[in-house]
Amino acid sequence: MAVRAVRGAVQLERDEAGHMREQVEELLTAVLARNELTADDLISIWFTATPDLHSDFPAAAARDLGIVDVPLICAQELDIEGAMPRVVRLLAHVETELPKSRIAHVYLGAAAALRKDIAQ
């Protein structure tokens, strides 16, 4: 079993707690599904949010999905002029048999523009 890293991001339409949880849940669900993973395969997840997001912790969405025994952390993304606003990113460390070439990094909606080279 290998340890792999999976990236993902989603741009929120607005800074509201319910909306953030809904969008982050969708992102996490897609990361798990596209990589044939379950919560038991997760080692840890690092979330970042752009400085314009204040309504909730992105990790709360993972807890709402039942991911309760996985270390989670939230941090603020760098405040870079011209960067895409209202973005939550994740970096999940997982155990999987998938080779690096088959890892599906998930960038939903407008966030796909962030990493056109790896977004699927």
Side-chain angles (χ1 to χ4, degrees), residues 101-116:
S101 62
R102 289 209 35 233
I103 295 294
H105 304 284
V106 180
Y107 290 78
L108 299 178
L114 294 170
R115 290 298 307 263
K116 292 178 184 177

Side-chain angles (χ1 to χ4, degrees), residues 5 21 23 29 34 42 45 51 55 58 60 66 71-72 94 97 103:
R21 287 188 184 207
Q23 293 298 299
T29 300
R34 293 182 193 179
L42 295 168
I45 306 174
S55 62
L72 308 174
V94 302
E97 297 291 342
I103 295 294

Side-chain angles (χ1 to χ4, degrees), residues 68-117:
V68 296
D69 61 350
V70 174
L72 308 174
I73 193 165
C74 298
Q76 188 176 78
E77 192 70 35
L78 294 173
D79 190 9
I80 303 297
E81 187 175 329
M84 184 180 286
R86 300 177 317 281
V87 175
V88 173
R89 293 171 172 85
L90 70 76
L91 174 64
H93 297 95
V94 302
E95 291 181 313
T96 181
E97 297 291 342
L98 291 176
K100 285 182 186 180
S101 62
R102 289 209 35 233
I103 295 294
H105 304 284
V106 180
Y107 290 78
L108 299 178
L114 294 170
R115 290 298 307 263
K116 292 178 184 177
D117 57 326

Side-chain angles (χ1 to χ4, degrees), residues 10-25 53 55 86:
V10 63
Q11 184 183 38
L12 306 183
E13 294 175 15
R14 58 194 175 279
D15 183 25
E16 293 176 1
H19 179 63
M20 179 183 289
R21 287 188 184 207
E22 175 185 283
Q23 293 298 299
V24 175
E25 284 181 18
L53 295 175
S55 62
R86 300 177 317 281

